[in-house]
Amino acid sequence: MEYEAVIGLEVHAQLLTETKIFCGCSTKFGAEPNTNVCPVCLGMPGVLPVVNRKVVDFAIKLAIATNCSIASVSRFARKNYFYPDLPKGYQISQYKLPIAENGWIDVEVGGNVRRIRIRRIHMEEDAGKLIHDEHQPMSYVDFNRAGVPLLEIVSEPDIRTPEEAALYLKALRDIVVYLGICDGNMEEGSFRCDANVSLRPIGSRELGVKTELKNMNSFRNVQRALEFEIRRQRALLERGERITQETRLWDAAKGVTIGMRAKEEEHDYRYFPDPDLVPIVIDKAWIEKMRKTIPELPNEKRRRFAEEYGLPEKDIEILISDRSLADYFEETVRYFNNPKMVSNWILSELLRELNRSNCSPSNCPVSPQNLAQLLELIDNGTISGKIAKTVFEEMYSSGKKASDIVKERGLKQVADEGLLEQIIEEVIRSHPTEVERYCRGEVKLMGFFVGQIMKRTQGKANPKLVNEILSNKLKNSQQG
Ligand code: ADP
Ligand code: ZN
Ligand code: MG
């Protein structure tokens, strides 16, 4: 029997608010344990939570960006369970009335657009963090993270392959990062994903028994975990065994998933509306206000970059992977209207320097205007492309303008035909054996001659002129 995989993702995005969701404590990462805490997020008796308006703003933005319907009235609910990192004994989440439902994200998979539906988006608080140190006789708990706001985004089981799952996740990550509501960092856990997967015979409409995978901290690991789990489930089904509904942990080092616990049922959580929090009422005006703050999103930008600049897909993917890089590109093109050349320089020279100095495009020492000026100097023949690379490095380290560096260091291209002819004749004269070999058909020696000429001009000879003059002279010596 042939099986197909059915996958649905539950994603948690930690929000970039200054303060927690129900109190005024800071959300700053990396503070001394238990310093960003107060009676509310520590779950002391008698305290009352008050919702952070920013969290609702961010949820509305994401709902708009993912084509969801926004509930005019939504509620917080208590999800009850016991765990040492959960001081109240319940997590404040949303249950029956989430803030948003019924959206979708379009994902391009192998040239086809796949629409992955989103079942719901809800707001909730994060738990604290347990610290198990094998050199200590006990475990510790840090409540700095308790009450940090999260959005949970639950997809419909519309995903069919591990690759598709990774692409959906990337698309969602790009959206939250573009919106500026989450930093999207999977390694640090501010963007995390649980993956649900089941198999069913191809053609069947029913859903099979699923397992839920946790502990994947990169796109690659989500894909690998799903690939492993699909293979594991298929082997069981082929042996006529049954799949147990359970939560499984991905072990990246071993490349396997390991059963962790039987999946809890919804009634285990004894959900009920949180009586301490008023319903969230969202009117049209609030939604419209948020809509105005939404930037051009990755999919629209992708389409526009292809149309407006005619760039290859590969270039576009890298440029739009970072909104500030895309902005940098567009700004440079505004001053120097050759999109492909600008893209080439950004993707090679600029990105290399940015990576090396750990900088972002928005605080790059070479402004778009200055990069454009450098490209102009190549374009009008003042300097060669090769020299331009060293000029660029100096621009980056000194912050100087291209034209100033070229003037200061005398890097202007030698395009004086008389002078070049003289140099080329000298080179030919001092390498009679190479000339002879060239004449006998070793045409690749052309590169050797060009190299010698560049050496004598410190790389400043105009390459086009050099090629012209050199081939003429070599042809003459062939005839002579
Ligand atoms: P649970 O009750 O186990 O939490 P839900 O119905 O709430 O399951 O769905 C949680 C996630 O699992 C959703 O993303 C959903 O699309 C996905 N999902 C649900 N059933 C299946 C299934 N049989 N196979 C794969 N994914 C599923
Ligand atoms: Zn607090
Ligand atoms: Mg559920």
Side-chain angles (χ1 to χ4, degrees), residues 251-264:
D251 181 334
K254 296 206 181 81
V256 298
T257 64
I258 300 154
M260 181 170 79
R261 57 164 193 251
K263 164 84 192 167
E264 30 322 79

Side-chain angles (χ1 to χ4, degrees), residues 3 10 12 33 36 115 143 185 213 220 222 240 255 257 269 285 288 340 359 418:
Y3 293 99
E10 295 167 287
H12 285 94
N36 293 338
R115 179 159 292 187
F143 287 117
N185 192 325
L213 312 181
R220 167 125 189 80
V222 169
T257 64
Y269 291 120
E288 286 319 306
K340 183 55 187 156
C359 270

Side-chain angles (χ1 to χ4, degrees), residues 10 119 154 210 263 266 271:
E10 295 167 287
R119 181 180 293 174
V154 182
K210 71 175 163 74
K263 164 84 192 167
E266 237 151 49
Y271 279 101

